[in-house]
Amino acid sequence: MKQSSQLDQLTEVLNRRGVLNFFSRYQQQDKYSKIYSLLLFDVDHFKQINDQYGHSDGDRVLQQLAKNLKSMIRNQDGFGRWGGEEFILLCPGTNLEQALKVAEKIRLMISEHNFELEPSKQVTVSIGISINKLSTPIEVAIERADKNLYAAKANGRNRVHYEVEKH
Ligand SMILES: Nc1nc2c(ncn2[C@@H]2O[C@H](COP(=O)(O)OP(=O)(O)OP(=O)(O)O)[C@@H](O)[C@H]2O)c(=O)[nH]1
């Protein structure tokens, strides 16, 4: 059982503190994986959903989204709500090819899910990815993923973005 101080009350997935705690345990204890990937995703035009259907339907969308995600991630992954309509998935030992597959699976699953909004509406997410060494601090990994999330939004939303960083 996770402590309630580490769970988000609305969606019952890890909250920010829970994600940070998951990460520090992973970074200290993992002896095998040399890399981790981080997926940062954000519901597209969520303000419009709130405005059109009301805040409680908006809340329900976040709850269903979190529930669906929880059912498809691996045991070793860490998943939580980073804030507002933004979620984070941390995948130990996952390379770019695998991360792109996971992200695309999530994107497609959300875009095809019936959120039972009336009138019906497609809900989509944009996803930014970063691939990191085990020693990379989570703040850096998030910053990298956030740049890619921003690009995914700018390129039209409902998409996954990853760009190799130039050093
Ligand atoms: N219902 C509900 N709304 C929330 C919650 N947390 C944040 N929001 C709303 O989420 C909305 C986020 O809006 P923006 O940051 O403008 O982004 P967006 O409309 O999703 O647009 P893009 O991210 O650019 O696609 C705001 O209107 C917040 O009020 C929550 O717990 N429940």
Side-chain angles (χ1 to χ4, degrees):
M1 261 292 275
K2 282 268 171 248
Q3 286 168 4
S4 62
S5 65
Q6 294 191 27
L7 291 180
D8 173 54
Q9 288 194 344
L10 178 69
T11 60
E12 294 173 350
V13 297
L14 296 178
N15 59 19
R16 198 175 264 242
R17 182 197 283 205
V19 170
L20 293 174
N21 193 40
F22 171 91
F23 180 75
S24 61
R25 269 186 292 125
Y26 158 63
Q27 206 176 32
Q28 281 161 25
Q29 292 169 9
D30 195 293
K31 307 253 183 317
Y32 305 105
S33 67
K34 294 190 169 58
I35 54 164
Y36 69 94
S37 53
L38 190 144
L39 277 62
L40 197 61
F41 55 102
D42 186 285
V43 183
D44 294 326
H45 297 304
F46 191 60
K47 186 175 179 309
Q48 274 178 23
I49 296 176
N50 273 332
D51 289 349
Q52 185 178 353
Y53 298 93
H55 204 266
S56 69
D57 270 5
D59 280 358
R60 202 170 45 73
V61 166
L62 296 178
Q63 284 169 327
Q64 283 189 23
L65 190 143
K67 195 172 162 200
N68 285 341
L69 257 292
K70 251 197 318 195
S71 71
M72 65 176 279
I73 61 167
R74 305 172 308 172
N75 272 345
Q76 64 265 44
D77 296 339
F79 171 60
R81 186 176 179 202
W82 196 241
E85 17 65 277
E86 194 165 71
F87 292 85
I88 191 166
L89 178 65
L90 209 147
C91 304
T94 299
N95 65 24
L96 176 61
E97 193 189 346
Q98 294 162 328
L100 284 168
K101 273 190 194 151
V102 173
E104 187 53 23
K105 196 170 147 193
I106 292 172
R107 187 200 65 75
L108 198 64
M109 187 267 285
I110 303 293
S111 72
E112 288 176 344
H113 183 77
N114 178 7
F115 284 88
E116 289 167 351
L117 292 165
E118 197 52 55
S120 80
K121 183 181 176 78
Q122 185 191 33
V123 175
T124 62
V125 293
S126 296
I127 306 181
I129 297 178
S130 68
I131 310 296
N132 310 280
K133 290 185 194 145
L134 179 60
S135 57
T136 305
I138 191 167
E139 295 78 12
V140 175
I142 290 173
E143 207 180 294
R144 289 176 181 157
D146 199 36
K147 279 192 190 137
N148 287 323
L149 172 59
Y150 184 83
K153 293 268 181 188
N155 291 339
R157 297 179 174 79
N158 189 20
R159 65 193 64 219
V160 174
H161 193 91
Y162 175 80
E163 207 168 292
V164 179
E165 284 185 65
K166 296 173 195 81
H167 292 285

